[in-house]
Each structure stands twice: as structure tokens, then as C-alpha cells.
Amino acid sequence: MNDIIDLHTHTSASGHAYNTLYEMVQAGAKAGMKVFGSSDHAPSMPGTCHEFYFSNFKAIPRHLYGIRLLMGCELNIVDFEGHVDLRESLLGRLDYAIASLHPPCLTPGTAAQNTSALLGAIENPFIHIIGHPDDGRYPVDYDTLVAAAACHHKLLEVNNSSFHPLSARKGAKDCYLTMLDLCVRYQVSIIIGSDAHSAADAGNHKRALALLDEIRFPQELVVNTSEEKLARYLPILGETGEAEDLS
């Protein structure tokens, strides 16, 4: 599979990641990425940056080391209505947004509550991707989730980090087997994310790709294979941005 996009990555600004933005982008370029996104944790995550961090992305070149750079955020869903932890005035200035469930920001609820939280995020026009919807600690009605993603034209993530043997997320493979079967049924596209917290993992999708190969998931539903596919979900990709050659 032609794998050229990674939008779920973290820098040291997130507080529990270990490399700078420029180090992460350079590593992504070496891994063969053509579009690389930085998505540091929003302010509700313990140890992460202040919201001011997300207000000054105009300072960041959008082409580095020969690849397109997008500046986004991994938002925390903070209640079962699907509210997130950045103001709309800031959300509208991001290149893209991922919304995820994290135990430090929302204690897991019932399947109905967790599903409601994700549906609220899906309905938010500023959110493009639902991050790691695979955590067995948050049981979810996947049929409802995937149908909503189809209705609202949102991407569901397959998170490479969730397959790590030491991941705190439990039962990720079984959750994905259920979700991906429904994605085929509803023709919902997915995006693979590394969830890299160090440069060593930037652009690393090996575990996620192994699962997709195992179940013969259709490549036409994987947006990581082309910028054109991703542009259907991220209008920012139609803009040229400022070029800077640091390769």
C-alpha cells in the first residue's frame, strides 16, 4: 500500500512526548510521508500546552523537509455530549482536528454514553477525525458510530500505537475487526495514524497495516494512499500555503 500521510503525531509540547516539531517532521519525511500533521494534545490533558500554543500556527512554515506540514490538534472529548476542550474561535484556525476519548479527561461510561460522546464530536463541523475509537475501556456501539461517520463525512482512525504490546488501550484488534467490517458495509473511509510520541515512530503504521492486510481491507477506503483522497475531508489541502525548502 502506498502510505504517504501521517496526521496523528505529538511533539514535546504535549508534555509526554519526546521530540520537537522540526525533529518529528524530518523523521516523517525520512519515513516517506508526503503530508505530515502535528496534533498535540489540547489543554485538558495533564501536562500539555496552553491554548495559546494553538493560536500561533501562522508562525510555522507549511512545507518543511520537502513535505506538506499541517498543524492540528488532538482534542479531548470532555463530556458525554461530545464537547471538546478548545474554543470554536481556535478550532476554526486549525488545519484539522482529531477528537479522542482519554481517561484523564473523561471517565469511561456506558456504551450508550461513550457512543453519545463520539457522536457529539462527529457532529462538530470543526472535527475531521475520530481518534483511536478502539479502546475497550470505552465500549461503543460501532454500528451507530460508523453510520454517523458516513452521514457526516468524517474519518475514523486506525491507530498504530493501540497495537503496541504495552498500550493502555485494551482489546484494540477486536474493536477494529468490528469497526472495519462496518466501514466496508457503510463505505466509510479510514485514516491510519501513528500516534507517534517520538521521532522513532513518525510515519510508523506497520502494526495497523498488518491488520488491514490480514482482513483484506479495501485500499480505496484508506485515505493515507493519496493527497487527493485526504483533500475530500480536509479542505485546507486545496490551499497552497507558504513553501520553504529545508531538505
Side-chain angles (χ1 to χ4, degrees):
M1 182 184 296
N2 185 38
D3 180 18
I4 60 168
I5 295 165
D6 191 7
L7 297 188
H8 193 158
T9 70
H10 297 276
T11 75
S12 52
S14 283
H16 58 277
Y18 301 96
N19 287 95
T20 67
L21 174 63
Y22 277 57
E23 289 168 343
M24 293 297 290
V25 179
Q26 185 174 33
K30 289 181 178 178
M33 300 297 104
K34 301 302 181 186
V35 180
F36 191 83
S38 181
S39 55
D40 283 309
H41 286 288
S44 292
M45 180 64 70
T48 194
C49 47
H50 191 274
E51 66 174 22
F52 287 170
Y53 176 83
F54 302 99
S55 70
N56 196 38
F57 285 166
K58 66 181 184 298
I60 306 298
R62 292 307 200 269
H63 290 81
L64 291 172
Y65 305 106
I67 63 176
R68 181 72 183 269
L69 172 61
L70 301 180
M71 296 300 296
C73 179
E74 184 178 15
L75 302 163
N76 301 291
I77 300 172
V78 296
D79 59 32
F80 295 122
E81 287 72 50
H83 295 110
V84 293
D85 53 343
L86 273 185
R87 293 177 285 114
E88 282 195 2
S89 59
L90 288 177
L91 288 175
R93 295 163 68 178
L94 303 175
D95 291 339
Y96 68 100
I98 302 169
S100 306
L101 292 166
H102 295 110
C105 304
L106 182 64
T107 301
T110 65
Q113 289 174 319
N114 301 330
T115 304
S116 175
L118 293 176
L119 293 183
I122 283 176
E123 292 169 4
N124 187 325
F126 295 106
I127 291 170
H128 306 90
I129 300 166
I130 297 298
H132 49 73
D134 58 29
D135 191 340
R137 296 173 297 180
Y138 289 95
V140 170
D141 179 343
Y142 282 107
D143 194 291
T144 300
L145 174 69
V146 177
C151 179
H152 294 279
H153 193 60
K154 300 299 174 74
L155 291 167
L156 298 176
E157 183 190 50
V158 175
N159 187 291
N160 191 75
S161 180
S162 296
F163 297 103
H164 193 287
L166 298 180
S167 174
R169 300 174 203 136
K170 303 303 180 185
K173 181 175 181 179
D174 288 340
C175 291
Y176 279 132
L177 289 175
T178 299
M179 187 188 87
L180 292 171
D181 180 66
L182 290 162
C183 286
V184 174
R185 186 187 309 175
Y186 287 101
Q187 290 295 286
V188 168
S189 291
I190 64 164
I191 184 167
I192 308 167
S194 68
D195 203 356
H197 284 65
S198 72
D201 274 331
N204 177 10
H205 299 154
K206 292 179 181 178
R207 294 185 175 96
L209 287 170
L211 176 64
L212 298 186
D213 287 344
E214 177 185 329
I215 65 174
R216 299 182 180 179
F217 190 79
Q219 291 192 24
E220 59 267 25
L221 294 180
V222 184
V223 301
N224 300 72
T225 61
S226 79
E227 294 184 45
E228 291 74 20
K229 286 183 185 178
L230 183 61
R232 298 170 195 163
Y233 297 87
L234 299 188
I236 189 70
L237 284 177
E239 302 175 10
T240 58
E242 177 188 356
E244 179 175 343
D245 183 5
L246 295 182
S247 58

